[in-house]
């Protein structure tokens, strides 16, 4: 193998593999080093398996509750082994697709752990250790070099300083995916995105679920009304969520694990068959550097400037490794931007391609039921920033499609600049919110106004019509709501 490349990417998650393909499509000789399976956390241990389990478990709950639609499936049952099989087949087919894409684009996929070495003769160097996975037990090593390196090694579940987390029935998200049976009871430490999505899966399957969240609300980064509604909806599904709950210790119990925590100044304990720790994710830097002090860190994360450049010339870092927003589409957008920066740097006249995406506007979705999504700023954030805004809100109980599917509990909120009418943000909690939020992302990055967004006709009956109604409410009144004042 020729060991010299234009670009070496370490880590083939949604950040790294996208960067490698983008670079290869632009004519760079690109390699990607990966020590597990391509697709990273997202495809193998994150977005895709979680959403497959949400889909299967929601179908099961809907079957059980089918009487609302005149369907009687009281005998509905699930086979957890089959759910895992469906989840794994979904992962395999996506991972296989990415492998083929990399090969088809001429990217060299190099298995093993990549370590960044100090540069030599003006070139950056990466040592790849094959970890003996070929069965020989030997650790083959190779040395690759390139002018540019992108670090994209992602993140792993973070631990918390609580005694007893090494007990056998205490797992992180990786460990929960690996269980062969659905737990009879599950206590989740952390009411963030992972916590509420797994609570949705297992509550659907009949597991007794408890959430302990240290902060005063679930999904702390989301709109307050969304967090409050989610707590109520989860409660209706049997999920017991404790807020302001300070976890003190986990101890072994007959049922599995007993968690001792403090809530409103009172010590309490709850036992569950399994405990899931979902308290954030920490960057993967194990064995990544053998280049002295050359790389500056930002706490545990790799420090980068606005061009994704690290402190080492020619070395970039993207995605979860750099902190900030830890989302798959953010990592991919970083990967594309880093390659655009490299192309600009390499271009003889200094002018590379125009940047394809606005990376300052990142939408977020949570796959609870109903779904949650938001982009841009909330009304409260606008107030904090001293921006005068007008807001519009539509309750989905007046939306035809939501009534058909009995998903009318939900709303869409729009935040617009009071003077110009430009869209600044949107928050949704309704069916297909994660599919619909893109409409607002497009509006924000293109500076569209409420009026401009209303020019396009939305088909009927769709959840999408709710967006038009929320937009109409910003400066006027939605058609499908009673007038505030009688004419
Ligand atoms: P990763 O996906 O973590 O990929 C890094 C890759 O680098 C890995 O394959 C790793 O094996 C490899 N690697 C590490 N070190 C080395 C080394 N030294 N040498 C070679 N290879 C190395 N995000 C969303 O946007 N939507 C979701 O619905 C969503 N759901 C999630 C659900 C769960 C349960 C979890 C845990 C995460 C979820 N995320 C979701 C977050 C998303 O998975 C991450 O933000 C995303 O995967 C980050 O991409 P990345 O490329 O930065 O890193
Ligand atoms: P998170 O930051 O979303 O939530 C962690 C929660 O744990 C916080 O609310 C925090 O207050 C709480 N916490 C921390 N220590 C605690 C303690 N000792 N006791 C009780 N609560 C405690 O992190 P996460 O849920 O682990 O998810 C990690 C990342 O994965 C997120 O950044 C998210 O972006 C990404 N993710 C995204 C999706 C999605 O896009 N749908 C799904 C899953 C994960």
């Amino acid at each position: 193998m020729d060991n010299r490349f234009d670009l070496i990417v370490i880590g083939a998650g949604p950040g790294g593999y996208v960067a490698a393909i983008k670079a290869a499509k632009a004519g760079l000789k690109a390699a990607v080093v990966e020590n597990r399976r391509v697709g990273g956390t997202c495809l193998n241990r994150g977005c895709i398996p979680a959403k497959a389990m949400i889909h299967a478990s929601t179908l099961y709950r809907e079957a059980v509750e089918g009487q609302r639609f005149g369907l009687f499936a009281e005998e509905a049952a699930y086979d957890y082994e089959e759910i895992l099989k469906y989840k794994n087949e979904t992962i395999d087919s996506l991972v296989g697709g990415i492998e083929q894409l990399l090969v088809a684009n001429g990217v060299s996929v190099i298995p093993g752990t990549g370590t960044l070495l100090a540069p030599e003769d003006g070139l950056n160097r990466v040592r790849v250790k094959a970890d003996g996975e070929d069965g020989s037990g030997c650790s083959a090593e190779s040395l690759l070099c390139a002018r540019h390196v992108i670090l994209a090694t992602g993140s792993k579940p973070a631990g918390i300083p609580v005694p007893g987390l090494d007990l056998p029935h205490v797992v992180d998200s990786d460990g929960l995916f690996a269980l062969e049976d659905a737990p009879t009871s599950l206590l989740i430490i952390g009411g963030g995105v992972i916590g509420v999505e797994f609570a949705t899966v297992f509550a659907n399957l009949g597991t007794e679920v408890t959430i302990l969240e240290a902060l005063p609300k679930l999904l702390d980064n989301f709109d307050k009304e969304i967090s409050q509604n989610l707590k109520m909806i989860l409660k209706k599904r049997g999920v017991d969520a404790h807020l302001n709950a300070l976890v003190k210790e986990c101890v072994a119990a007959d049922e599995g694990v007993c968690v001792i925590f403090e809530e409103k100044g009172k010590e309490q304990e709850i036992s569950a068959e399994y405990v899931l720790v979902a308290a954030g994710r920490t960057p993967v830097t194990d064995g990544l550097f053998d280049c002295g002090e050359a790389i500056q860190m930002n706490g545990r994360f790799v420090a980068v400037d606005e061009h994704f450049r690290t402190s080492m010339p020619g070395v970039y870092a993207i995605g979860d490794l750099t902190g900030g927003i830890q989302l798959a589409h953010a990592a991919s957008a970083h990967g594309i931007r880093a390659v655009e920066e490299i192309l600009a740097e390499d271009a003889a006249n200094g002018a590379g391609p125009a940047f394809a995406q606005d990376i300052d506007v990142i939408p977020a979705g949570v796959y609870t039921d109903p779904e949650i999504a938001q982009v841009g700023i909330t009304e409260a954030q606008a107030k904090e920033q001293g921006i005068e805004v007008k807001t519009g809100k539509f309750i989905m109980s007046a939306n035809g499609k939501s009534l058909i599917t009995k998903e009318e509990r939900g709303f869409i909120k729009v935040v617009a600049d009071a003077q110009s009418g430009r869209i600044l943000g949107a928050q949704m909690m309704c069916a297909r919110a994660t599919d619909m939020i893109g409409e607002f992302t497009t509006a924000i990055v293109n500076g569209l106004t409420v009026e401009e967004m209303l020019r396009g006709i939305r088909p009927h009956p769709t959840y999408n019509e709710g967006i038009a109604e929320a937009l109409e409410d910003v400066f006027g009144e939605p058609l499908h709501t009673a007038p505030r004042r009688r004419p």
Side-chain angles (χ1 to χ4, degrees):
M1 182 180 65
D2 179 5
N3 286 359
R4 195 171 164 151
F5 296 89
D6 297 318
L7 171 67
I8 302 164
V9 183
I10 307 183
Y17 87 73
V18 166
I21 292 175
K22 171 85 184 166
K25 280 193 191 294
L28 299 188
K29 187 175 173 208
V32 66
V33 182
E34 171 56 56
N35 62 9
R36 295 173 85 172
R37 290 217 296 178
V38 306
T41 305
C42 174
L43 265 62
N44 297 289
R45 303 171 289 284
C47 329
I48 299 302
K51 269 82 256 185
M53 293 186 72
I54 287 172
H55 181 67
S57 67
T58 303
L59 281 180
Y60 169 67
R61 184 171 55 78
E62 284 177 354
V64 171
E65 295 174 357
Q67 298 96 313
R68 299 182 298 159
F69 304 102
L71 306 174
F72 295 90
E74 288 91 350
E75 303 296 308
Y78 69 83
D79 179 336
Y80 198 67
E81 207 181 315
E82 288 296 316
I83 293 181
L84 295 184
K85 197 170 147 211
Y86 144 73
K87 174 201 74 153
N88 292 337
E89 281 169 2
T90 311
I91 295 173
D92 290 348
S93 109
L94 277 161
V95 169
I98 301 300
E99 282 167 348
Q100 281 174 17
L101 260 182
L102 286 162
V103 171
N105 280 285
V107 176
S108 301
V109 181
I110 300 168
T113 297
T115 301
L116 184 70
L117 306 179
E120 220 174 72
D121 301 329
L123 282 180
N124 282 305
R125 300 180 307 144
V126 173
R127 182 179 63 221
V128 182
K129 209 167 168 191
D131 303 332
E133 276 177 5
D134 56 358
S136 65
C138 308
S139 296
E141 253 186 41
S142 54
L143 190 68
L144 315 177
C145 50
R147 273 195 59 210
H148 305 288
V149 173
I150 295 180
L151 308 174
T153 52
S155 66
K156 60 184 178 187
I160 46 170
V162 168
L165 293 190
D166 51 351
L167 288 167
H169 278 216
V170 178
V171 294
D172 55 27
S173 55
D174 295 353
L176 194 63
F177 281 129
L179 295 185
E180 288 173 7
D181 284 312
T184 50
S185 53
L186 176 68
L187 185 145
I188 302 173
I189 300 178
V193 198
I194 293 184
V196 300
E197 287 192 353
F198 276 122
T200 301
V201 170
F202 289 103
N204 283 343
L205 296 179
T207 297
E208 203 180 295
V209 181
T210 306
I211 299 177
L212 301 184
E213 167 55 52
L215 296 175
K217 69 199 243 291
L218 296 174
L219 293 182
D220 187 52
N221 295 331
F222 281 76
D223 181 74
K224 195 170 160 201
E225 192 177 351
I226 288 181
S227 300
Q228 286 167 343
N229 274 10
L230 178 64
K231 184 168 188 283
M232 267 162 32
I233 289 166
L234 287 174
K235 191 173 177 193
K236 276 199 158 179
R237 304 241 168 89
V239 176
D240 185 18
H242 297 252
L243 306 177
N244 298 304
L246 196 67
V247 180
K248 298 245 156 139
E249 192 180 0
C250 294
V251 291
D254 289 346
E255 307 86 338
V257 185
C258 172
V259 181
I260 300 158
F261 63 101
E262 198 180 297
E263 190 184 4
K264 292 183 192 143
K266 252 180 59 188
E267 194 161 285
Q268 304 194 37
E269 53 181 63
I270 295 179
S271 293
E273 188 189 1
Y274 279 93
V275 168
L276 165 69
V277 181
R281 292 178 63 81
T282 192
V284 175
T285 51
D286 330 303
L288 182 58
F289 302 119
D290 188 5
C291 51
E293 305 285 303
I295 294 280
Q296 231 174 55
M297 303 296 285
N298 174 14
R300 287 163 298 145
F301 297 95
V302 172
V304 287
D305 64 11
E306 70 273 26
H307 307 285
F308 296 100
R309 287 187 300 226
T310 68
S311 53
M312 201 157 144
V315 179
Y316 296 72
I318 59 168
D320 281 14
L321 178 65
T322 58
I325 298 174
Q326 293 182 316
L327 293 173
H329 45 282
S332 299
H334 291 179
I336 290 169
R337 176 60 66 87
V339 171
E340 288 169 341
E341 296 278 2
I342 288 169
L343 295 173
E345 206 179 292
D346 279 356
N349 59 5
F355 294 141
Q357 293 174 321
D358 181 339
I359 53 172
D360 294 328
V361 184
I362 307 273
V366 187
Y367 295 75
T368 42
D369 184 4
E371 291 184 344
I372 292 165
Q374 68 177 27
V375 66
I377 57 171
T378 60
E379 189 178 3
Q381 286 166 335
K383 209 170 167 188
E384 279 163 27
Q385 295 170 27
I387 306 171
E388 203 194 326
V389 292
K390 285 263 185 195
T391 60
K393 181 172 172 184
F394 183 67
I395 309 284
M396 293 299 264
S397 54
N399 169 262
K401 181 79 175 270
S402 299
L403 282 165
I404 293 167
T405 58
K406 295 197 180 289
E407 292 169 293
E408 65 272 31
R409 277 193 61 129
F411 59 85
I412 297 176
K413 276 196 210 175
V414 184
V415 181
D417 183 89
Q419 264 78 50
S420 65
R422 278 188 169 201
I423 305 293
L424 300 178
Q427 300 82 42
M428 304 182 181
M429 184 173 199
C430 60
R432 302 285 162 88
T434 63
D435 292 312
M436 297 197 292
I437 197 71
E439 194 175 337
F440 285 105
T441 314
T442 305
I444 295 173
V445 299
N446 290 298
L448 298 187
T449 63
V450 169
E451 198 183 329
E452 284 163 341
M453 278 194 81
L454 277 169
R455 292 179 82 181
I457 296 166
R458 293 167 179 84
H460 175 76
T462 58
Y463 301 114
N464 209 233
E465 288 171 294
I467 289 184
E469 304 268 0
L471 286 165
E472 279 166 0
D473 191 48
V474 177
F475 292 112
E477 221 166 45
L479 207 77
H480 290 92
T481 54
R484 289 189 189 106
R485 273 196 223 129
R486 283 196 179 276

